[in-house]
Amino acid sequence: MTKKAAFWIFLFGTLSSAALFLVLTWDMHRQVDVLSRADKLSDTVIAGKKSFEKHNCNDCHTILGFGGYYAPDLTRVVQRVGEDGVRYRIKHPELAFAASVRKMPQQHIPAAEIENLLAFFSWVGEIDNGDWPPQDSKKRLTRGEKRLVAMAGVSPGAAVFKSKGCMNCHALGGSGGSFGPALDTVGRTLSTEQIGQYIKEPKSVNPQALMPPQTDLTDRELEEVAKFLGNLK
Amino acid sequence: MEYRSQRIAHWYFRIALVLFVLQVMMGLWLAYNYTFTVPQEIVDVFPFATARAIHTNLLVLWMLLGFMGGTYYIVPEETGSEVYSPNLAWLQLIALVATGVIAIIGFLFGWTKGRPLLEIPPPLNYVVVIGALIFLFNIGMTMFKAKRWTVIQGVLLGGLVFLALLYLFGIPFYKNEVIDWYYWWWVIHLWVEGAWELVTGAIMAFVLLKLTGVERRVVEKWLYVEIGLFLFTGIAGTGHHYYWIGAPKYWLWIGGVFSALEPLPILLMVIDTMHHVKHRQTQIINPHTWTLAVGCAIFHFIGAGIWGFAHTLPQINYYTHGSQVTVSHGHLAFFGAYALLNLTVFYFAIPKLKGIEVYQPTRAKLGFWTMCSAMMLMGLTFGIAGVLQSYLERVLGMGYMTAQGHMRLWMGITLVLGVFFLAGVVVTVFDLLFMKPAVRRAE
């Protein structure tokens, strides 16, 4: 092979690859609005993106799989932990991760800014990105559903909750009644002891409570169901 | 050293070496964060994110300073003339180092652009651009005035211009997160698998030419083929970062096919280096510099070629994307391809800058083998953690922190290995800063 032939290999290799790449970049711009639902890219979402960058979130968390690997991916965070879950973690990381071996900094982000961040995360969560990440794929049961399944299998409290009619008024994981509040995260606001007291005599904990006292539960059943609910955080 | 202005390179090298040590120290702190619980009070003021920004920006800064120093060393010899303006070279060095120092202090106080690896906020990033422009002007003018063009300096200049142009794509604020990442990779991927490879190819060709005395025609022919293949696979290979960002689905094919070919040019580089070493026309004066050049080629192939290939296919990448597998690849590839390249240049140029013909290789060897063994093992422990994460979190759907709990042991071992790596780096840097001529033993 001569040096001239080598030069042509270089020129052809570079230009063909660059041409392909630029044409596809043009086509990406043509398609990206649909794939990313750019019509929903509101000012709040953009403000949320700015806030996400201002607080350097991306050097601990990945989003769309890029960034720091120190904390969970945020692509589907709203779907995974819910809007309240996101708010709670940003507002009170020192409480949310008190028991965790890894902490998140308390950045004193104002409530309005947290709402912007939420809008941004919700928007990112809707991007059509080949169903990544696998752990949040809709083809699977959600983490919460799995947790409930696992608990129903091993926890007497879940069995009590399901068989004693609690779900006529209360919902868990999206199924159940809507007369009383959903109890998915009840353990965050009430301790196991308070829940036990509440079930026995609701007005003793909350004078405005509409729930009737659950007198037909045995002590053991009461204890198990309170333990079960107290762990829903 | 044949030209006075080559002296400037020495300061680029010295500062790069100090930053290298700081980068690795920050890396140890990151590994500590993965292994032990850092209390909330410390996390509030010095979070992992800040430490990571410092770790990665120091990496980029020291490597760029190394490349620039290398360029100021090589260009006078290639063109047969002094650097156009040594004063501009000094100005540029001061501007870049000052920017780096201000940026890092800024990170500590939360002054950041918030984009991973491109955290340097405006207006500081404009100073980086100005520094790069001064550099290119200085190098370009040196070549232009000398009117002596070689393939090596052409590739070098091409790579540096490409490098500077790509940085511009990281500057704007993109409203759409998808487009943001799309162009973020124009900086990151096209740097390390495009522009930096051109610079590496040119520098390596120069070092091999000088070390082996192989005919220039042969070296330059190989260089053309290598960079041709690097750019052919590397440019379209950017697609392997576009699998899961919300870009069109054909990137799975383009990215998969082109990046499967990416190990080829690196393999060619290994074969080419071996070939030149075998057909050398000159005596081996400093065997350790040869070890470094060959070690760089081999480690480059393992870290960038094999490790990159291992998780580049979409079917695998779906589970490994954004996990510690990426971290494993990143460490091996950066160390193999660019840290060792810089060290090769340093061990080639610094003895000449100091007027040492034969250097004492004892410390150099100790440092080199400690660094290489520790980094290889770190690649493995990061890799094990990454495979665990991919399987537990992504396949089984275990919670993030539960999966991290199972990986903690391996991150702890990485921390221990990191201490050994730091020791190797300190020995190497000390040796380069205070290099000694070889002692001839009396018979």
Side-chain angles (χ1 to χ4, degrees), chain A residues 17 25 27 29 49 59 131, chain B residues 119 180 182-183 232 250 318:
Chain A
S17 193
T25 296
D27 185 68
H29 276 285
K49 185 173 186 286
D59 261 330
D131 202 22
Chain B
E119 288 94 344
D180 198 342
Y182 192 89
Y183 287 108
F232 178 71
Y250 49 70
Y318 184 65

Side-chain angles (χ1 to χ4, degrees), chain B residues 135-428:
Chain B
F135 173 66
L136 290 175
F137 172 76
N138 208 4
I139 293 299
M141 283 306 283
T142 312
M143 292 182 183
F144 190 69
K145 267 183 70 183
K147 292 203 176 66
R148 180 169 172 263
W149 295 95
T150 67
V151 178
I152 291 180
Q153 47 164 300
V155 173
L156 188 58
L157 185 65
L160 293 167
V161 171
F162 191 30
L163 192 163
L165 279 180
L166 289 169
Y167 184 75
L168 300 178
F169 287 93
I171 291 180
F173 173 80
Y174 300 94
K175 289 178 188 169
N176 189 323
E177 186 75 4
V178 177
I179 296 176
D180 198 342
W181 286 115
Y182 192 89
Y183 287 108
W184 189 82
W185 285 109
W186 280 41
V187 189
I188 308 303
H189 175 93
L190 289 177
W191 262 14
V192 296
E193 274 152 89
W196 288 29
E197 292 282 11
L198 292 190
V199 175
T200 302
I203 292 179
M204 201 66 166
F206 175 83
V207 172
L208 285 174
L209 186 74
K210 296 282 164 173
L211 276 183
T212 61
V214 170
E215 253 187 289
R216 179 179 279 274
R217 196 172 47 85
V218 180
V219 172
E220 294 193 334
K221 184 177 81 185
W222 282 95
L223 178 60
Y224 266 141
V225 179
E226 268 165 29
I227 58 165
L229 278 177
F230 265 127
L231 292 175
F232 178 71
T233 58
I235 296 177
T238 316
H240 63 225
H241 301 291
Y242 296 160
Y243 296 162
W244 324 114
I245 67 167
K249 298 289 168 276
Y250 49 70
W251 284 113
L252 297 176
W253 280 98
I254 308 279
V257 171
F258 278 86
S259 52
L261 298 173
E262 275 184 52
L264 285 181
I266 316 177
L267 185 63
L268 189 65
M269 205 177 206
V270 176
I271 296 172
D272 153 44
T273 308
M274 300 293 197
H275 179 268
H276 292 330
V277 170
K278 210 168 143 196
H279 295 90
R280 61 178 177 265
Q281 305 293 321
T282 48
Q283 238 191 320
I284 300 178
I285 301 169
N286 281 308
H288 185 65
T289 313
W290 293 63
T291 312
L292 271 162
V294 175
C296 171
I298 294 173
F299 220 116
H300 188 169
F301 180 66
I302 297 174
I306 299 179
W307 248 251
F309 179 76
H311 68 140
T312 196
L313 295 178
Q315 294 85 341
I316 296 169
N317 191 261
Y318 184 65
Y319 294 102
T320 59
H321 176 53
S323 72
Q324 294 291 330
V325 171
T326 318
V327 177
S328 169
H329 163 59
H331 281 79
L332 289 184
F334 262 106
F335 176 73
Y338 300 121
L340 283 181
L341 174 89
N342 269 307
L343 292 174
T344 306
V345 175
F346 298 166
Y347 270 107
F348 173 76
I350 289 180
K352 294 191 174 15
L353 288 165
K354 290 198 171 188
I356 297 172
E357 198 199 346
V358 186
Y359 60 84
Q360 181 68 26
T362 330
R363 291 186 307 212
K365 278 186 186 163
L366 176 69
F368 173 78
W369 289 108
T370 312
M371 278 191 304
C372 285
S373 331
M375 184 48 84
M376 197 60 231
L377 290 170
M378 276 168 68
L380 292 176
T381 51
F382 274 136
I384 294 169
V387 171
L388 278 171
Q389 183 178 11
S390 304
Y391 186 68
L392 297 177
E393 188 194 1
R394 278 81 188 282
V395 178
L396 296 185
M398 206 178 253
Y400 177 86
M401 276 313 295
T402 318
Q404 293 282 321
H406 294 282
M407 296 151 60
R408 209 162 153 195
L409 169 70
W410 296 100
M411 301 310 279
I413 298 176
T414 311
L415 174 61
V416 175
L417 291 169
V419 174
F420 282 94
F421 184 74
L422 176 65
V425 172
V426 169
V427 171
T428 306

Side-chain angles (χ1 to χ4, degrees), chain A residues 20 22 34-35 39 44 55 58 63 69 72 79 87 92 99 101-102 112 125 139 144 156 165-166 170 195 213 224 226:
Chain A
L20 175 70
L22 291 176
V34 177
L35 288 165
D39 53 318
T44 331
H55 298 288
N58 213 173
I63 194 159
Y69 312 104
Q79 176 202 314
R87 282 193 195 98
H92 294 298
V101 293
R102 228 174 262 178
K139 287 180 200 142
C166 309
H170 296 286
I195 293 170
E224 292 292 352

Side-chain angles (χ1 to χ4, degrees), chain B residues 8 12 61 64-65 67-69 71-72 83 85-99 127-139 160:
Chain B
I8 306 158
Y12 279 80
L61 189 58
L64 287 180
L65 287 176
F67 288 156
M68 288 171 168
T71 306
Y72 278 125
V83 168
S85 162
N87 287 336
L88 280 181
W90 283 112
L91 175 73
Q92 177 223 333
L93 176 66
I94 293 163
L96 278 181
V97 174
T99 311
V127 183
V128 176
V129 175
I130 293 167
L133 285 176
I134 297 175
F135 173 66
L136 290 175
F137 172 76
N138 208 4
I139 293 299
L160 293 167

